[in-house]
């Protein structure tokens, strides 16, 4: 990376030594996990470039946007509506939380038995290694699981720009009303942050932009139904991860280009893996950058991942927002409708998620489902039990794992995954 970036990182307050260490680990992991794959689509070169510049060029772009007066908003959850951020002339970036960092410091603030995702978000702050977090003018925390909502109380002591969004826990008339109120409150907060009033015109354009990037991922997902699968689960996951922080228009264009290439591959029966490779659907907790542990294990054990029932995946992007409204109120209602359908495990009860897992297993012709739970994540680990039971009733094999970001259990996981793959080969 260019030396110019070092002064940018210094200005952002990063700890350069720790940051160098992080980038070193990231670069090695990317080399080992991504660049060692065979039969990758050529279009993935774009994502290789994005990853090589993840703390470089993209941050420079954000800094240029800031210099031109645009605000940056950071988020930890797919419930933060990008449509409202864009319509207020700001940029939304996901704050990834997919790796352990500064764990000793973190465990002074959070109990040891907190999920890896929450710990990671603190580690990146305490270790001063995340330029996205440091460039954000507003950080949005959302009241989802108990871990997150209590952790935001502590995060609020570490940053001076935390905005907490309340969210319903039950899908009911009251729940929907709460979501609607919170989205109107957020709209006002965005307008206050940027000084830009959200109009029908700007909101319609923003809905179009976000829908286009979701639609590109829908297109990519649909192509994974083919056998042989034209793209690895690792590469598809990376596209879903980059969704959260790339420039939206460029992201859409790049994914659509990959889809064009995948269509040709399918016509030529070219795959990332041979035809007949056992097909796995992964379901559960989000896998944020650079959490590539499970797909790496699965795809080096003789199977291919064909879908992610996850917020970094289909749960996060499943529905488009209806863009037919003419007024701000009509479009706000459409935004509430769209997000209200997200079937995160924090909702009780949460029958839609179960239905979606079954639908996805059928649509992607999965031979089995791996339920991915992060240790200490109550919502997803609790739901894993009924998910497994329901799948077994439908004769869909299911493997439940709970893990964290360390590689300590990698050998043990690999053994279990290999045994599962043998089972589904049957
Ligand atoms: S909408 S899944 S992105 S909350 S893994 S922090 S649930 S203890 S991430 Fe999520 Fe929004 Fe829901 Fe999606 Fe808590 Fe579990 Fe940790 Fe989690």
């Amino acid at each position: 990376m260019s030396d110019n970036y070092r002064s940018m990182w210094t200005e952002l307050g990063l700890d350069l030594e720790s940051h160098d260490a992080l980038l070193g680990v990231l670069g090695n992991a990317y080399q080992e996990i991504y660049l060692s794959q065979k039969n990758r689509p050529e279009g993935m070169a774009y994502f290789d470039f994005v990853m090589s510049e993840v703390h470089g060029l993209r941050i420079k772009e954000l800094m240029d946007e800031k210099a031109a007066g645009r605000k940056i908003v950071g988020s930890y959850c797919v419930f933060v509506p990008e449509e409202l951020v864009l319509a207020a002339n700001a940029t939304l970036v996901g704050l990834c939380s997919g790796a352990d960092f500064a764990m000793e410091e973190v465990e002074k603030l959070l109990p040891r038995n907190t999920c890896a995702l929450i710990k990671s978000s603190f580690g990146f702050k305490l270790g001063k290694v995340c330029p996205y977090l440091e460039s954000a003018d507003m950080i949005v925390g959302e009241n989802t699981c108990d871990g997150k909502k209590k952790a935001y109380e502590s995060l609020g002591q570490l940053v001076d720009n935390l905005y907490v969004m309340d969210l319903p826990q039950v899908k009911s008339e009251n729940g929907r009303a709460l979501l609607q109120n919170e989205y109107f409150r957020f709209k006002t907060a965005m307008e206050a942050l940027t000084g830009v009033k959200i109009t029908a015109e700007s909101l319609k354009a923003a809905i179009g932009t976000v829908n286009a990037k979701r639609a590109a991922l829908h297109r990519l997902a649909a192509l994974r139904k083919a056998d042989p699968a034209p793209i690895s689960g690792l590469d598809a996951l990376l596209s879903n991860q980059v969704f959260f922080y790339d420039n939206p228009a460029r992201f859409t264009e790049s994914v659509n280009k990959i889809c064009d290439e995948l269509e040709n591959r399918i016509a030529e029966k070219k795959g990332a893996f041979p035809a007949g490779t056992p097909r796995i659907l992964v379901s559960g907790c989000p896998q944020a950058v650079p959490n590539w542990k499970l797909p790496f294990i699965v795809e080096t054990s003789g199977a291919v991942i064909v879908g992610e029932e996850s917020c970094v995946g289909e749960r996060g992007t499943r529905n488009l927002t209806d863009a037919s409204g003419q007024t701000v109120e009509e479009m706000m209602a459409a935004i509430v409708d769209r997000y209200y359908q997200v079937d995160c495990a924090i909702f009780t009860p949460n029958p839609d998620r179960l239905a979606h897992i079954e639908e996805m297993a059928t649509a992607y012709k999965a031979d089995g489902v791996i339920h991915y739970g992060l240790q200490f994540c109550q919502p997803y680990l609790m739901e894993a039990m009924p998910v497994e039971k329901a799948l077994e009733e439908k004769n869909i094999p299911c493997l439940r794992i709970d893990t964290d970001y360390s590689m300590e259990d990698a050998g043990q996981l690999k053994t279990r995954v290999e045994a599962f793959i043998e089972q589904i080969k049957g």
Side-chain angles (χ1 to χ4, degrees), residues 76 95-99 116-122 124 288-291 405:
Y76 294 107
L95 300 171
C96 38
S97 317
L117 209 139
I118 298 173
K119 278 187 180 169
S120 169
S121 62
F122 273 60
F124 278 72
V289 169
N291 176 11
Y405 291 165

Side-chain angles (χ1 to χ4, degrees), residues 77-79 115 118 144-145 148 285-286 311 315 344 374 377 380:
C77 178
V78 298
F79 267 104
C115 86
I118 298 173
T144 43
C145 64
K148 271 183 165 182
C285 292
C311 281
R315 189 186 320 122
C344 173
L374 282 174
C377 169
Y380 283 92

Side-chain angles (χ1 to χ4, degrees), residues 83 207-219 243 314-324 333-341:
E83 292 89 339
I207 291 174
T209 301
V210 185
N211 276 348
K213 65 176 195 167
R214 289 189 189 122
L217 282 181
H218 296 174
R219 191 177 160 211
F243 172 90
E314 238 170 276
R315 189 186 320 122
T317 56
R318 182 170 286 119
N319 302 300
L320 300 185
T321 302
D322 179 3
S324 64
I335 289 170
V336 174
D337 284 343
R338 191 257 158 207
Y339 285 88
Y340 189 64
Q341 296 176 65

Side-chain angles (χ1 to χ4, degrees), residues 211-237:
N211 276 348
K213 65 176 195 167
R214 289 189 189 122
L217 282 181
H218 296 174
R219 191 177 160 211
L220 178 72
L223 293 167
R224 297 168 76 191
K225 292 175 183 168
D227 184 23
I231 185 167
S232 67
L234 273 166
D235 279 338
L237 174 64

Side-chain angles (χ1 to χ4, degrees), residues 41-227:
E42 281 172 22
M44 285 309 295
Y46 170 72
F47 288 103
D48 293 341
F49 176 70
V50 167
M51 287 310 292
S52 71
E53 286 287 341
V54 67
H55 283 192
L57 193 59
R58 184 64 186 133
I59 299 300
K60 169 84 175 57
E61 288 176 348
L62 296 181
M63 298 313 284
D64 289 348
E65 287 184 15
K66 278 166 77 85
R70 204 173 157 98
K71 301 291 182 192
I72 309 297
V73 177
S75 137
Y76 294 107
C77 178
V78 298
F79 267 104
V80 179
E82 186 171 8
E83 292 89 339
L84 295 181
V85 176
L86 291 179
N89 199 30
T91 295
L92 185 72
V93 290
L95 300 171
C96 38
S97 317
D100 290 337
F101 209 84
M103 277 302 129
E104 257 180 48
E105 294 302 304
V106 172
E107 286 179 6
K108 287 180 195 156
L109 290 179
L110 296 174
R112 181 169 275 246
N113 55 355
T114 303
C115 86
L117 209 139
I118 298 173
K119 278 187 180 169
S120 169
S121 62
F122 273 60
F124 278 72
K125 177 66 205 168
L126 294 169
K128 300 191 188 128
V129 290
C130 180
Y132 292 92
L133 188 65
E134 302 305 334
S135 63
D137 298 289
M138 177 197 270
I139 296 171
V140 185
E142 22 48 65
N143 288 342
T144 43
C145 64
D146 285 353
K148 271 183 165 182
K149 64 188 168 219
K150 295 308 286 181
Y152 292 134
E153 291 176 16
S154 306
L155 188 67
Q157 313 283 314
L158 303 177
V159 300
D160 57 10
N161 54 358
L162 181 71
Y163 173 97
V164 177
M165 177 183 280
D166 201 11
L167 285 182
Q169 315 270 300
V170 178
K171 300 262 175 97
S172 61
E173 213 176 297
N174 284 346
R176 195 184 181 289
L178 172 61
L179 188 66
Q180 176 166 314
N181 286 343
E182 282 299 297
Y183 281 2
F184 271 99
R185 188 170 72 89
F186 183 60
K187 172 178 167 289
T188 307
M190 285 310 306
E191 290 173 334
L193 178 75
T194 62
V196 173
K197 184 132 188 68
I198 294 178
T199 63
E201 205 185 6
S202 66
L203 193 50
K204 200 180 250 309
I207 291 174
T209 301
V210 185
N211 276 348
K213 65 176 195 167
R214 289 189 189 122
L217 282 181
H218 296 174
R219 191 177 160 211
L220 178 72
L223 293 167
R224 297 168 76 191
K225 292 175 183 168
D227 184 23

